[in-house]
Every structure is written in C-alpha cells, then in structure tokens.
Amino acid sequence: MSFNLQIISPDESVFDEEIEMVIIPGTEGDIGVLSNHMPLITSLRLGNIYIYKDKKIIKKFLVNGGILEVFENRCTLLTEDISDSESKVISNDDELSKRKTEIASKQFYT
Amino acid sequence: MPSLKDLRNRIGSVKSTKKITSAMKMVAAAKLKRAQDNAEKTRPYALKMHEIVESLTSSGVAQVKKFGERNKEKKNILLIICSADRGLCGGFNGSIIKYTKKLSAELSKNSNLSYIFVGKKAYQTLKRKYEASIVEFFTDIANPSIKFELSSSVRDLVLELFLSNKIDECHLIYTEFKSAISQTVKSHKLLPIDNSGEIKKTKTYEFEPSEENVLNEIIPRNIAIQIHSGLLENLASEQGSRMTAMDNATRNANDMIDNLTLLYNRSRQALITSELIEIISGAEAV
C-alpha cells in the first residue's frame, strides 16, 4: 500500500512521490506514517526524514523544523530548512551546522 | 530655427537614449520572467500553509490568544512597506508612496504608526516625513533574487515587536501583480490573526504536541511566507512596471526621431532651395 508524500519548501517542491512509509522527527518524538494514517498535524524538530519504498530507504533528508499534515492518504510536509543528508551543511551558525552534520551522519533506522 | 548641426546632434542623442531604454526593456522582460517563475515556485507552499491555518482557525478548536486581537483604544500599528531598490520603473514607487501617505493619514487619526521599509526608494522619499517612527530599513533585497532569509528576518522582527506589546497590528503594503501592464498597491493584514470568522468543522485532525503549540509553531511560518510572497509579487510588479515604462520610452524616442528627421530634411531642402535662388538671381543680374 502506498501513499503520496510531498515535501515543499518556500523555494521549490523538494519531493513528490508515491511511497510506502516515512519516518519524521516530530517535536514529541519520531513518527512513522504508513498509508491510511489518521488526519494529523504535527510540528517537527531538527532531525532526519527517512523515506521507504519496497522496504528500503530510498531517500534521507535533514530537516530543521516544519509542519507535517496527513489527510486522506496525502502527506504534506512544509519546511523552511531542508537539505539532502549527503550534501554538505552550509550555515553561518557554527553551533547549528555542527549539530546538523552530526545528525545527518547518524542512521537510526534501516 | 535650429541649425542643421543642432538637429543632427539632437537626433544622435535621442537615438542613444533609445538604445538605453530598449536595452533596459529587454533586461526587465527577462527579469520579469524570472520573478514570475520564483513567485510561481512559492505558491504551493503558501497555499498549503494558508489551507492549514484556515482549517485550524475556522474549526474553532484552537484559539489563537497569543497572536489574537487586543482591545485597546489607541493601537500601535506597524506598516511594512515594500518598494523597489531602483528607479526608472514608471509610477511603481510613486504609487506605493502615495498609497502609504494616504493610509498613514487615515490610520494616524486614532493610532500610533511605525514603519519597516523593505527596498530603498520608498525609504528615501519618506524618511524625512516619518523619521521618528521608522523601526528598520532593509535594502539590496533582490540581489540576485529575493532570499527567504530576508522574509524570516522581517518576520522575526515583527514577532518580537508584537510579543513585547510594542505593536498591536501589522500590515504589509506591497504591489499586487496582475499583468505586466496592470499592478495595484495592496495592504494585507499579517497580525493579529483573525479568528472571528464563522466556525465550521471541516476536518478533524489529531495534533501533536497540542493544538495550541502546533498553532504557535505554524503562525510564525505563515507570516514569513506571506511576507515572502508579498515581496516576490512586488518584485514581479517592479519588473513589469519597468518593462512597460521602458517600452513607452522607446516608442516616444522613435516618434521624436521621426519628427526630428522630418524637420532636418525640410530645413536642408529649404537651405538648398534658397541657395539655388541666390545663384539664379545672381546670374540674372549679370
């Protein structure tokens, strides 16, 4: 069973595909969303997003805050600060970029 | 009657002005395309954000106390004025300034006003008039394109002022882009959040952490994106306005060149004729 995940930033649509599962870093803890999830709105913290298809992680993003909305098998993630986990962290804020690099290198789920 | 040399010089200078205006028109057209593309890219984010906020505030479950209306007799109102950094764009900056003056005169009757300027032109004109009440001024906004960081820093400033009770209301003044030839100045209320609208339960969501926390998280984001799309639209309007202005200037230059060339040819012919008459009458006299 698959559902649609859309990740939108103010500058562009980052991701828009049919996927099986996504794990996102909610402010209260990580949330895994499968298809037919109940309507949900939650805020995000700094952390990794794992996107699953065919039981494998196909994409990993690093996100810093945002909003996730799940409604009728459509999952929309709005964030101002998102980057590919593989890409190098560029930031003026040293403390933040250090934490970002640290988190991006970690792999909590497989 | 100007001499032939004068006319030649004038035609030359009008021609070179025409070259500049037509080049500016092309540049503005290219920039307009880019500005429109950028505005288009932000739209899905802004729409979705609006949708979520709308469904939250209209469901009535979450009351936005923190960002809500304040009952005061004399309100402190903040105006964010978006203008261009450069001139030569027709009546674009002029109409923003005119609108600001009119709105300020209206509002200042029963409230205290303060201003944030984004873009140099309106600031330059209005800084004397409103000197005491200018909070902040941002320039060099679209170099090469409007960054989201700019909008977030404006948002941070606005929220800081609002939450420390220095302001009770905030309006964004920008130019709405309809087409390359038609733009209108608009004012859009950012704060306080209006939750007086009718309550309709459309979608029932589960919230994590709580409704209020989520809402407090969403609203600053929503304000930032509203400022951002306002700025993008303003930039598109600026380029559109410049394109039209430069198009008009080029056409005027063409008309002028035509007229001057006609005048030049006439006076040249008149000179030749009178020279001929002189020669003939001279020959007859001999």
Side-chain angles (χ1 to χ4, degrees), chain A residues 17-28:
Chain A
E17 269 177 54
E18 294 288 316
I19 58 152
E20 261 166 23
M21 179 168 90
V22 61
I23 297 177
I24 59 123
T27 33
E28 306 268 276

Side-chain angles (χ1 to χ4, degrees), chain B residues 143-185:
Chain B
N143 204 5
S145 63
I146 292 174
K147 298 242 165 53
F148 191 72
E149 282 90 59
L150 173 75
S151 318
S152 349
S153 49
V154 176
R155 182 261 324 257
D156 292 344
L157 189 64
V158 170
L159 282 184
E160 196 195 306
L161 290 170
F162 188 80
L163 295 176
S164 60
N165 281 325
K166 288 201 180 88
I167 56 163
D168 310 302
E169 229 178 282
C170 177
H171 295 265
L172 181 75
I173 296 171
Y174 68 101
T175 311
E176 188 188 25
F177 181 84
K178 284 184 186 145
S179 72
I181 41 168
S182 152
Q183 300 101 21
T184 40
V185 185

